[in-house]
């Protein structure tokens, strides 16, 4: 099978998976994770890290049959993430960093909720 065709098929599988995860993709989680990205990261790396946090949370929610959360928006499901899928794939190689950011986001979220 030609390499170009394999690439297109792989990209399609990623987009299909993002469509399945769309009801669990949380724009607020993405924004909070983006703000908590370590200083010194480039914009693409920071977006990739925030996207990785968001995708991992969506995967966990989907696997746990949790109800849908706020979607990433009105655009094509996962469009915000697919714009920087390469950076997300690089960030997914650092699960400890993703878990750390996700824990900080969750902690910040519960503190914000308790204050109101």
């Amino acid at each position: 099978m030609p390499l170009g065709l394999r690439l297109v098929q792989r990209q399609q599988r990623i987009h299909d998976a993002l469509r399945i995860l769309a009801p669990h993709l949380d724009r607020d989680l993405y924004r909070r994770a983006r703000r908590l990205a370590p200083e010194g990261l480039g914009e693409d790396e920071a977006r990739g890290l925030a996207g990785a946090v968001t995708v991992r949370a969506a995967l966990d929610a989907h696997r746990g049959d949790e109800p849908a959360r706020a979607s990433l928006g009105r655009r094509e499901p996962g469009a915000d993430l697919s714009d920087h899928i390469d950076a997300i794939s690089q960030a997914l190689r650092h699960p400890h960093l993703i878990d750390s950011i996700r824990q900080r986001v969750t902690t910040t979220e519960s503190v914000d909720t308790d204050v109101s």
Side-chain angles (χ1 to χ4, degrees), residues 1-13:
M1 179 180 310
L3 185 58
L5 179 58
R6 288 191 346 213
L7 175 61
V8 169
Q9 288 175 334
R10 182 167 291 175
Q11 290 171 330
Q12 188 59 49
R13 282 189 213 108

Side-chain angles (χ1 to χ4, degrees), residues 23-115:
H24 300 285
L25 294 172
D26 186 345
R27 180 180 284 287
D28 290 332
L29 174 64
Y30 177 86
R31 288 181 184 147
R32 291 190 311 271
R34 173 63 189 89
R35 283 194 301 266
L36 292 174
E39 290 186 32
L41 289 182
E43 183 62 26
D44 196 46
E45 292 172 308
R47 286 181 179 187
L49 180 58
V53 169
T54 305
V55 167
R56 287 270 307 267
L59 278 169
D60 291 347
H62 178 73
R63 287 178 183 150
D65 290 328
E66 293 178 23
R69 296 191 47 112
S71 176
L72 275 176
R74 295 181 197 146
R75 295 173 61 189
E76 177 73 21
D80 290 335
L81 298 178
S82 64
D83 290 345
H84 50 275
I85 201 72
D86 291 337
I88 292 171
S89 70
Q90 293 297 320
L92 286 169
R93 295 179 182 183
H94 306 283
H96 296 296
L97 181 56
I98 293 168
D99 292 342
S100 171
I101 298 289
R102 191 168 166 194
Q103 182 178 14
R104 287 174 46 208
V105 167
T106 304
T107 302
T108 304
E109 182 179 81
S110 64
V111 167
D112 290 344
T113 303
D114 292 342
V115 171

